[in-house]
Amino acid sequence: YGGMGLDFSYNIAVAEELGNIHCGGIPMAIGVQAGMATPALTRFGSDELKKQFLVPTIAGDVVACLGISEAGAGSDVANIKTTAVRKGDEYVINGGKMWTTSGCQADWMCLLANTSEGPLHQNKSLLCLPMNLPGIHVAKKIDKLGMRSSDTAQIFFEDVRVPSKNLIGEEGKGFTYQMLQFQEERLWAVATVLATLETIIQETIDYTRQRKVFDQSVLHNQAVHFRLAELATEVELLRSLLYRTVALYVEGNDVTKFASMAKLKAGRLAREVTDSCLQFWGGMGFTSEVLVSRFYRDLRLLSIGGGTDETMLSIICKYMETLPSK
């Protein structure tokens, strides 16, 4: 379908390299294409759907977005309210989505909707939804604290009709498909932050080396250079966890626990690194002129988007409870 046929570790290599872009929004937008809106289509979609949606997405000719979160259901995916009711050979969609990355410019959406009245984890399906259909209303581009180069949309659906052949895989399996997509999304997010955190630490070292306070460089203070050494160590530990998780994933293992651990650690470490380093920049760190202030805003999303820290902790706890007692 136009891809190179490489395994998932190559996605992570690309994601890590994209972390060198001095902006969080661009790696995130590319991540939506590569690791959020397309994995389920790649794995479970029909040949016809792949030719219609996956081929131009891989080629970069169209923009994809992921329609999961709603105003009342972010990390709590099971409680989404958007419906797709089967009528003949079409689904009729009503509801809305919130926090949709690239939603203002997307050509199609990988949409999660309720397709039956059954149990919450068995009544959802994924659909390929062209964004130019009647009844789709992009209400607004949301003004955000960070990731300001990324358009984030609120979208409403009013009697939107889409062919039933646009169903990805089996009806009722959407929740399961989306949970699998989340694993790749979370690992992508972890990978994109590694080089960024290293950049922040190095720029802080460079700045504090030349910034003088009380006739000596700020970096000369043990509290400063010890803290930076500690943060650099934490970044390397995160990289090791990511690589281990990716290796297991490529071998076909369930990495839900490790991916959740990595996502949790990445979000918290991003907050820790940006907060500590901004402090060492002093008043300059509170301006919009330096990179550390941009990443302080951009990377705050990592503990919220793609599953909050609290959601990651809940997942980790569930997996720990399945371990055999000693």
Side-chain angles (χ1 to χ4, degrees), residues 213-250:
V213 175
F214 303 123
D215 296 324
Q216 68 175 12
S217 71
V218 172
L219 186 62
H220 185 73
N221 289 278
Q222 188 179 84
V224 175
H225 59 242
F226 272 18
R227 180 59 175 153
L228 293 171
E230 182 180 25
L231 293 173
T233 302
E234 292 287 326
V235 173
E236 284 303 322
L237 290 170
L238 177 60
R239 176 179 277 112
S240 296
L241 175 57
L242 172 67
Y243 287 176
R244 180 190 180 193
T245 305
V246 171
L248 289 169
Y249 185 69
V250 170

Side-chain angles (χ1 to χ4, degrees), residues 185-199:
E185 172 184 349
R186 289 163 184 165
L187 293 173
W188 176 281
V190 174
T192 60
V193 82
L194 294 173
T196 301
L197 296 180
E198 290 176 331
T199 297

